[in-house]
Amino acid sequence: MSMNVAIDGPAGAGKSTIAKAVAAKLGYIYVDTGAMYRAIALYLLNHNISSSDEKSIEAVLDDINVEIVYENQAQQVILNGENVSKEIRKEEVGNMASATSVYGCVRSKLLSLQRDLAAKSDVIMDGRDIGTCVLPNAQVKVYLTASVDCRADRRYKELVEKGENPNLEDIKKDISERDYRDMHRDIAPLKQADDAILVDSSDMTIEEVVVAIVDLCK
Ligand code: DC
């Protein structure tokens, strides 16, 4: 049986950075499920389909093919044959992903892709519902969080480093709205699984969190 590690938590808690580092240390495959929701969101944005139009979203889902491939151990997201790994990182795509991941039709489309990856390989998978819904039998479950202020500060610094001119208050507002939506949707909301270990990264370095999770896996 493959080893499955689930990491859930709100946007900006450091899940992907930490999961990538743990995957590298343990030789597991890192699966970023948010990227899959982002790929669907990108398709919808490109086709001018509103996030509130569930009927139209359901109608086009069969036209959307999301594939995950690995290049030098890095996950690449392929949307209808095109590598969209960079494009899906934009803020508007993340917000669209949050708004459209509330629909059952969108979630069920991605569920089998996620479970297939976890059945085939040792994975560390991050998202919102991995420990609660996607991989309820994962051997290790972590709920990784950090305060809104701390997550906003990190995001602000990241954007400044990229040469952008962000507004800290806007980032805080965005993060709070996204948290609320992800935690209050009807299907598979973000919450800590009963058997998940809570890690608050607000006052921890990345290395400290990585070491803590690697120890749990061992
Ligand atoms: O982790 P992220 O910021 O890339 O995720 C983007 C959005 O996708 C997130 O706000 C909610 C949705 N998502 C989800 O509903 N379930 C997951 N397992 C992963 C992401």
Side-chain angles (χ1 to χ4, degrees):
M1 204 173 104
S2 55
M3 178 75 183
N4 290 173
V5 182
I7 302 197
D8 291 301
K15 296 187 299 291
S16 66
T17 309
I18 286 157
K20 268 184 212 160
V22 173
K25 279 200 184 209
L26 296 175
Y28 297 174
I29 286 176
Y30 165 56
V31 183
D32 169 6
T33 60
M36 302 174 188
Y37 287 95
R38 285 170 182 261
I40 291 182
L42 179 64
Y43 180 96
L44 298 172
L45 284 170
N46 288 344
H47 289 77
N48 294 316
I49 296 172
S50 159
S51 62
S52 57
D53 187 354
E54 185 179 1
K55 269 215 171 89
S56 299
I57 293 175
E58 191 162 14
V60 296
L61 280 179
D62 280 347
D63 301 336
I64 305 177
N65 184 33
V66 179
E67 284 166 281
I68 299 297
V69 297
Y70 288 88
E71 269 173 25
N72 302 325
Q73 274 147 13
Q75 172 179 297
Q76 305 293 318
V77 182
I78 312 295
L79 170 63
N80 292 346
E82 189 192 342
N83 190 331
V84 292
S85 308
K86 282 217 175 76
E87 233 181 313
I88 57 170
R89 305 298 5 148
K90 292 180 189 153
E91 301 297 302
E92 61 162 333
V93 181
N95 288 331
M96 183 69 169
S98 174
T100 53
S101 61
V102 301
Y103 301 124
C105 55
V106 172
R107 306 203 69 82
S108 54
K109 181 177 175 81
L110 296 176
L111 191 61
S112 51
L113 175 60
Q114 294 163 358
R115 287 192 175 148
D116 284 353
L117 286 165
K120 270 194 279 198
S121 321
D122 293 335
V123 296
I124 177 159
M125 185 175 283
D126 86 15
R128 303 291 188 286
D129 61 336
I130 310 306
T132 50
C133 295
V134 181
L135 305 176
N137 298 322
Q139 293 92 334
V140 175
K141 295 184 188 177
V142 174
Y143 188 83
L144 183 66
T145 188
S147 68
V148 171
D149 281 350
C150 169
R151 288 184 279 136
D153 278 342
R154 288 180 191 158
R155 185 70 188 138
Y156 177 84
K157 284 183 191 139
E158 249 173 53
L159 291 171
V160 169
E161 267 168 34
K162 276 192 195 162
E164 293 178 30
N165 185 20
N167 177 305
L168 186 60
E169 287 313 309
D170 287 349
I171 296 178
K172 274 188 200 165
K173 189 166 157 273
D174 237 39
I175 287 185
S176 301
E177 281 174 10
R178 188 114 84 89
D179 283 1
Y180 186 87
R181 215 168 26 218
D182 292 350
M183 289 173 181
H184 290 88
R185 64 182 178 223
D186 291 339
I187 310 168
L190 166 65
K191 65 172 186 197
Q192 185 180 343
D194 292 339
D195 50 353
I197 289 157
L198 176 68
V199 178
D200 186 328
S201 71
S202 303
D203 298 314
M204 292 172 86
T205 63
I206 289 171
E207 190 52 29
E208 282 170 336
V209 182
V210 171
V211 168
I213 296 177
V214 168
D215 283 349
L216 285 173
C217 296
K218 281 179 180 160

